[in-house]
Structure formats: structure tokens, C-alpha cells
Amino acid sequence: ESRGEEEAGECEGDKHIGHCDATDVAAAASLCVNYNAPGAGASQNHLHAHVWTQFGRYPVDRAALLMKNEWRWSREASRTSKTDKGPGRTRRRRDLTKGGGVTARIVQYPAAAVCFMGEDPIEIGDAVYDVIVEAESRGLTYNLLISGGGRDEAADVVGVYLFLRGRGEQNERPSVLGQRIGAGQMAGEWIIDRPDVFERATESSITEALAQTRPDGKTGNEVITNILDAASSAA
């Protein structure tokens, strides 16, 4: 929403939280938390996440989930830690009985998106981590996004998404737009600060750019399916 000149000026160039900042946070329906892995839009050389206020659902929240396959993680039994394929990585196992397990489904979306659902956030985190480890062992990279807008507004279900991506300049900065794509853009929330990119940014070009980030080409989910099969069976 647009602000008046006086209100907008109050927040520009000030290192302190202004009135408009406070009201933005207070009025936000929820927060979006996201992380860009190296090679997936990360702009800094250190581990950091982004958090911003979210006032509605993103396109990925509104996209249908493919019903053909569903992957499940169960944490009803105690698990022991084991070393996985990734260098220096360990798949963590906990004795968790709070939640009813985790399910994952592929999102019907231009980018390679997986949605995780469950009652216990720690169990969801375990499942997400399993998939990340498996994807990295195959040379892929990813974006992680927690959408407070939710997949189901009535049920208030938070959307937890993992976007799996190939590596390389074409995957990180698709040629159709020539802009680095991070988690926000992967979810469908585009902020464009270059006039030349803005002129080329249409629904079709954005769809094409998202498709170019996929690890398995512009169509098909074979690579993603294989990763989910391996990650869920290892659990």
C-alpha cells in the first residue's frame, strides 16, 4: 500500500524503527522466513536467512499439490545418528512422538517445489534436512521458504517449501530475465530494481525463468521424485 509523503519520508534513511515500520509489523498477517543456499541466489558469503512481513499468500501457496505421489516420514521410533553421503553432514534422528509424522508432495509449479506438511515443526525440519542432504549429495542446491501466508487460510496451515535447483549460472540467473533468483522470487514474489529487467518481466517470462532453475529441465519430476524416494526411505 502507498504511504503519504510525510509518512514515507519518516522511514527513509533512518537506522531506527519508525512508526511505519512498527505498524507494518503489527498489521502483518504473518512472517515469511527464507534461506538461499550457495548457487541459489545467495548474495553474501556467510550463513544468513531473510525475514519479512507477509500480507497474503504467494503463488506457490495457491498452486495445487500433485496427488500422484506422497512421501512420508515417521518419527515414532527412536533413531540413531548416521553419517550421510554429504561431506561433513550428519542426518539427525530424535526420539519424537509429539507429531503424527510428516508428508511431502511435489507442487504443480514452474520451479521444482516440494511442500512439507506436519504438526510438529521439529519433525518437519528433520524431513526437510533429509531432502537437503540427499539433494546436495547429487550436486544440487536449494532455497528454503516458510510462507506464513499458508497453504490453507481457513486452517492456518503454514507452507514449508524446498525449491530444488541445478547448479550453474543458467540455474541461478536464468537467461530469459538475467536476474539472480532467490527464495522470494521462487515463491512468486518478485521485486525488480532494474528497468531493463522490468520491461521483460511478464507472466510468461517469469514462468520461463522459474522453469530454468529446475534440476531436471523444464518439464518432468524424475530427479525430484528420486531424491524424495531416497530421503524418505533413509528416514
Side-chain angles (χ1 to χ4, degrees), residues 132 135-142 164-167 215 223 227:
I132 288 174
E136 286 185 329
S137 75
R138 300 174 184 231
L140 303 184
T141 187
Y142 63 93
L164 299 177
R165 302 173 62 166
R167 287 187 178 272
V223 173
I227 289 172

Side-chain angles (χ1 to χ4, degrees), residues 39-41 141 165-181 186 205 208-215 217-218:
T141 187
R165 302 173 62 166
R167 287 187 178 272
E169 182 70 12
Q170 175 66 14
N171 295 92
E172 184 172 20
R173 194 188 299 268
S175 59
V176 66
L177 287 176
Q179 173 174 316
R180 181 188 288 117
I181 294 181
M186 295 292 280
S205 65
E208 175 72 8
L210 291 175
Q212 289 180 2
T213 69
R214 298 178 68 94
K218 298 179 183 179

Side-chain angles (χ1 to χ4, degrees), residues 211-232:
Q212 289 180 2
T213 69
R214 298 178 68 94
D216 51 0
K218 298 179 183 179
T219 60
N221 291 309
E222 182 177 356
V223 173
I224 311 157
T225 298
N226 291 340
I227 289 172
L228 289 169
D229 284 344
S232 59

Side-chain angles (χ1 to χ4, degrees), residues 3 7-12 14-25:
R3 301 190 181 97
E7 185 180 2
E10 174 191 337
C11 295
E12 292 179 359
D14 193 342
K15 296 181 180 179
H16 301 280
I17 292 178
H19 176 260
C20 61
D21 300 314
T23 54
D24 276 354
V25 172

Side-chain angles (χ1 to χ4, degrees), residues 18 20 22-23 41 45 58-59 77 92 99 104-105 111 146 161 171 177 225 230:
C20 61
T23 54
N45 62 352
Y58 291 146
R92 298 182 181 126
R105 285 184 177 149
I146 302 171
Y161 302 98
N171 295 92
L177 287 176
T225 298

Side-chain angles (χ1 to χ4, degrees), residues 64-71 105-108 117:
L65 301 179
L66 295 178
M67 305 303 291
K68 181 179 179 181
N69 297 102
E70 180 181 84
W71 291 265
R105 285 184 177 149
I106 297 173
V107 186
Q108 189 173 331
M117 295 162 287

Side-chain angles (χ1 to χ4, degrees), residues 5-223:
E5 292 183 5
E6 181 178 347
E7 185 180 2
E10 174 191 337
C11 295
E12 292 179 359
D14 193 342
K15 296 181 180 179
H16 301 280
I17 292 178
H19 176 260
C20 61
D21 300 314
T23 54
D24 276 354
V25 172
S30 53
L31 296 175
C32 177
V33 182
N34 56 86
Y35 167 73
N36 301 322
S43 58
Q44 304 295 327
N45 62 352
H46 59 267
L47 179 64
H48 68 286
H50 301 266
V51 182
W52 57 66
T53 55
Q54 186 175 343
F55 294 89
R57 301 169 76 196
Y58 291 146
V60 72
D61 291 318
R62 299 190 294 268
L65 301 179
L66 295 178
M67 305 303 291
K68 181 179 179 181
N69 297 102
E70 180 181 84
W71 291 265
R72 293 180 177 272
W73 280 256
S74 175
R75 295 291 187 261
E76 295 178 357
S78 177
R79 308 280 184 171
T80 57
S81 297
K82 67 176 182 179
T83 302
D84 57 58
K85 300 176 184 178
R89 293 281 215 171
T90 300
R91 279 201 174 104
R92 298 182 181 126
R93 296 288 178 264
R94 303 180 178 91
D95 183 8
L96 300 172
T97 57
K98 176 184 175 183
V102 178
T103 61
R105 285 184 177 149
I106 297 173
V107 186
Q108 189 173 331
Y109 195 65
V114 180
C115 178
F116 295 83
M117 295 162 287
E119 296 179 1
D120 184 357
I122 297 179
E123 291 185 359
I124 294 174
D126 273 353
V128 170
Y129 186 75
D130 284 347
V131 178
I132 288 174
V133 168
E134 187 64 35
E136 286 185 329
S137 75
R138 300 174 184 231
L140 303 184
T141 187
Y142 63 93
N143 304 96
L144 174 62
L145 183 134
I146 302 171
S147 172
R151 288 211 55 87
D152 186 341
E153 290 179 317
D156 194 27
V157 177
V158 173
V160 180
Y161 302 98
L162 193 63
F163 299 97
L164 299 177
R165 302 173 62 166
R167 287 187 178 272
E169 182 70 12
Q170 175 66 14
N171 295 92
E172 184 172 20
R173 194 188 299 268
S175 59
V176 66
L177 287 176
Q179 173 174 316
R180 181 188 288 117
I181 294 181
Q185 289 89 353
M186 295 292 280
E189 181 76 358
W190 284 71
I191 299 174
I192 299 173
D193 55 7
R194 286 172 46 192
D196 60 321
V197 175
F198 184 81
E199 291 296 325
R200 300 196 302 273
T202 63
E203 183 177 352
S204 60
S205 65
I206 288 174
T207 299
E208 175 72 8
L210 291 175
Q212 289 180 2
T213 69
R214 298 178 68 94
D216 51 0
K218 298 179 183 179
T219 60
N221 291 309
E222 182 177 356
V223 173

